[in-house]
Amino acid sequence: MTDQLKEGFARFRQKDGMYGDDGIMPGLVQNGQQPDYFVISCMDSRSAPATIFDAAPGTMFAHKPMGAMVPPYNPENKENDLAAKLRYALHHVGVSKIIVVGHSHCGAVKALANKIDEPEIMHWVNTAKKANARARAVMRITKEFDNAALLRETERQVVRLSVENLTTYPAVREAMAEGKVEIRGWLFEMEHGNLFEYDPASKGFKQVFDYNADQIGSAVPDCDHEGHEARL
């Protein structure tokens, strides 16, 4: 039943430049890893960052909590996996960019918004209940209160909250004080293949690329203050 994974490994092993003379993997072993990015993304199988960013081995550290949710730092939690990863990545490897990558049609966000009766799941997603409250406030302002719109807005607010909560971690605060790290919040719109970036100044989102432009990669204008230009 694991043939699909074994066949995938065979293709990986045979990729040009991966092994053999001057291969990527032997080089990473010999010279060590120096990734530029620490990517926090959802566990969702459709939004794996190495896949959607077409990233080679050694490009990023990956942390994949359900919903790409980052709870505030808790000094009482001595087994904080994320705190340990951030300390290592920022202060031992020298990663300079932390990116939170949420995505549309997120099951964790749906669980948060709909308050499903699954204690193991709700215990985790409730760490982002502030995002759900913010989304409901936006819905009241825009009078666009239907479940689909609420879910899309909650997805945006979860990214925003995770970006904010990252700054409560000691390793991040120290690196920021030294000007050694920047934090970005992105949202991957799976159904249309779009990528949006959180703008802390406006608390909205803007599309990173305009794929309808004559040249792929053209920037598009910022969204309004709540990011409603985004089709999420």
Side-chain angles (χ1 to χ4, degrees):
M1 299 297 290
T2 58
D3 287 351
Q4 182 181 1
L5 297 181
K6 292 176 182 178
E7 291 166 4
F9 179 75
R11 290 192 298 272
F12 161 76
R13 182 67 177 76
Q14 293 164 8
K15 277 185 180 179
D16 288 343
M18 198 60 65
Y19 284 91
D21 295 340
D22 299 320
I24 293 173
M25 293 305 297
L28 286 170
V29 172
Q30 181 176 354
N31 302 318
Q33 59 177 336
Q34 290 293 324
D36 293 320
Y37 306 98
F38 188 104
V39 177
I40 300 172
S41 67
C42 182
M43 62 179 284
D44 194 291
S45 63
R46 302 165 294 180
S47 61
T51 300
I52 65 175
F53 300 127
D54 194 22
T59 301
M60 65 181 74
F61 286 120
H63 178 67
K64 302 188 71 175
M66 181 180 286
M69 295 173 178
V70 176
Y73 176 70
N74 179 4
E76 299 302 316
N77 182 2
K78 303 302 183 183
E79 299 177 353
N80 191 318
D81 172 58
L82 177 57
K85 289 177 179 177
L86 288 168
R87 174 64 61 181
Y88 176 72
L90 295 174
H91 296 279
H92 293 269
V93 179
V95 164
S96 59
K97 299 174 185 68
I98 304 173
I99 304 177
V100 177
V101 183
H103 66 91
S104 61
H105 301 279
C106 178
V109 167
K110 185 176 181 180
L112 172 66
N114 295 339
K115 300 179 181 178
I116 66 168
D117 186 20
E118 295 281 353
E120 299 95 335
I121 294 175
M122 288 307 299
H123 178 74
W124 172 253
V125 299
N126 272 335
T127 62
K129 62 184 178 182
K130 184 176 180 180
N132 186 231
R134 286 174 171 175
R136 290 179 182 274
V138 170
M139 294 294 97
R140 287 193 290 272
I141 292 170
T142 62
K143 303 185 186 304
E144 192 184 4
F145 202 90
D146 64 76
N147 197 54
L150 174 62
L151 293 176
R152 300 293 81 78
E153 185 61 37
T154 305
E155 287 158 359
R156 289 192 285 265
Q157 295 297 339
V158 165
V159 171
R160 173 188 170 190
L161 183 63
S162 289
V163 167
E164 293 171 355
N165 285 344
L166 275 167
T167 64
T168 67
Y169 285 73
V172 175
R173 288 203 312 269
E174 293 164 18
M176 290 179 68
E178 297 171 0
K180 293 182 177 180
V181 68
E182 59 181 276
I183 305 173
R184 302 289 181 93
W186 289 354
L187 201 148
F188 171 43
E189 185 189 46
M190 297 193 298
E191 62 272 38
H192 298 293
N194 292 321
L195 187 67
F196 296 86
E197 182 168 18
Y198 173 61
D199 175 24
S202 68
K203 295 183 172 56
F205 283 76
K206 61 181 180 180
Q207 192 170 337
V208 175
F209 297 116
D210 181 0
Y211 294 100
N212 295 316
D214 291 336
Q215 189 169 24
I216 296 287
S218 299
V220 299
D222 288 0
C223 301
D224 63 25
H225 72 287
E226 291 297 347
H228 296 118
E229 186 175 293
R231 293 182 296 108
L232 295 176

